[in-house]
Amino acid sequence: PFEMIGQRLYSGRVAVAQAALAYRRELFDVTRRYAEGKRVWSPFTAGGADPPPLASIPPLRALFAEADARAAEMESFVGMCEDRLSAHLAEGSAPGSALAHAIATAKVKAVETSIELCWRLKQEVGSYALMADSGFAHLDFLNCCKFAEGDSRVLMQKMARDVMRAAAKGKGPSLSSAERDLVGTLGAALAPAKGVKADEAALWDENWRHVYALAEATMARTLDEFARSG
């Protein structure tokens, strides 16, 4: 049945989000242990003090703290999506559009957040990232996650299109101010097409920056709503 196929896709997106977060968590844990044990030069050692660990370098210390906070938020969000999806799977019911959108958001944001944080970490640890056992050699795993169970770019295009259609009908969720501004901007950009699908598609492509900005704003609202619903 179509519902069964859809539910497998939903569960697959949750699994991909979890896999990306798990990779990020392990890579940061392994790197943190290395950085805490790796001693580096400091002008203060001239006075007889012990060399500080690499983990004490301000940019790296700040990145560890930022990654912990952002990953905790994403893991909580993905966990809520999983719990709500599990209830539907147990009942044999199909998720509603709100949960389907939340799961798509979880897949996109968990992967993109992991890619961003892991890439930044690589820039901070120098030649350690080139070592075979550091884990950085497998960063392409996150690229696989980006295109698995729905290309992240395609999902974002669909999010933006759904918001535009709902806004045109006066339906859908209450939008954030950022979404409303982008809906207005994108709507004005598409207006010259006058409903001709081919022309509208061409204008949509020309205004791709606004399209992805709208998707980002929509995902930000979704994350905020889930965080408040707790």
Side-chain angles (χ1 to χ4, degrees):
F2 178 78
E3 288 81 2
M4 183 180 294
I5 296 172
Q7 286 173 343
R8 287 175 179 171
L9 182 62
Y10 295 141
S11 59
R13 287 176 180 168
V14 171
V16 169
Q18 291 171 331
L21 292 172
Y23 176 85
R24 185 223 62 84
R25 182 169 57 250
E26 181 65 15
L27 185 66
F28 266 74
D29 286 348
V30 170
T31 306
R32 194 194 305 263
R33 288 195 294 271
Y34 165 80
E36 288 173 347
K38 174 68 174 177
R39 297 292 167 172
V40 296
W41 179 87
S42 167
F44 300 109
T45 60
D50 292 333
L54 177 63
S56 69
I57 300 298
L60 187 55
R61 186 173 69 240
L63 178 56
F64 282 139
E66 177 190 344
D68 287 345
R70 291 176 63 186
E73 292 177 358
M74 284 308 311
E75 288 174 1
S76 175
F77 175 62
V78 173
M80 285 190 285
C81 289
E82 180 184 16
D83 290 343
R84 297 183 189 188
L85 177 62
S86 295
H88 283 285
L89 295 176
E91 297 170 357
S93 59
S97 59
L99 180 55
H101 169 70
I103 291 172
T105 298
K107 189 269 179 181
V108 173
K109 296 304 290 183
V111 173
E112 293 300 328
T113 299
S114 298
I115 288 174
E116 178 202 340
L117 292 173
C118 289
W119 177 253
R120 288 170 58 191
L121 182 64
K122 184 177 181 180
Q123 311 313 304
E124 295 293 345
V125 294
S127 60
Y128 169 72
L130 302 177
M131 297 181 182
D133 60 352
S134 68
F136 285 93
H138 306 295
L139 272 176
D140 280 345
F141 170 74
L142 293 177
N143 266 32
C144 294
C145 291
K146 184 166 185 169
F147 297 102
E149 299 298 333
D151 183 322
S152 294
R153 289 291 192 186
V154 174
L155 290 176
M156 291 174 71
Q157 290 260 353
K158 185 178 185 304
M159 291 175 196
R161 197 174 299 279
D162 287 347
V163 170
M164 292 295 293
R165 287 174 175 169
K169 296 177 181 178
K171 299 179 180 179
S174 178
L175 302 182
S176 66
S177 60
E179 286 176 290
R180 289 194 296 272
D181 289 345
L182 286 162
V183 164
T185 299
L186 195 52
L190 299 176
K194 297 180 179 179
V196 178
K197 297 301 181 183
D199 294 345
E200 192 172 89
L203 290 171
W204 182 269
D205 286 347
E206 286 180 16
N207 290 274
W208 61 271
R209 289 184 176 83
H210 295 314
V211 171
Y212 288 123
L214 177 56
E216 288 287 357
T218 299
M219 290 189 289
R221 172 177 52 80
T222 300
L223 288 165
D224 182 63
E225 288 174 350
F226 264 63
R228 284 189 281 106
S229 69

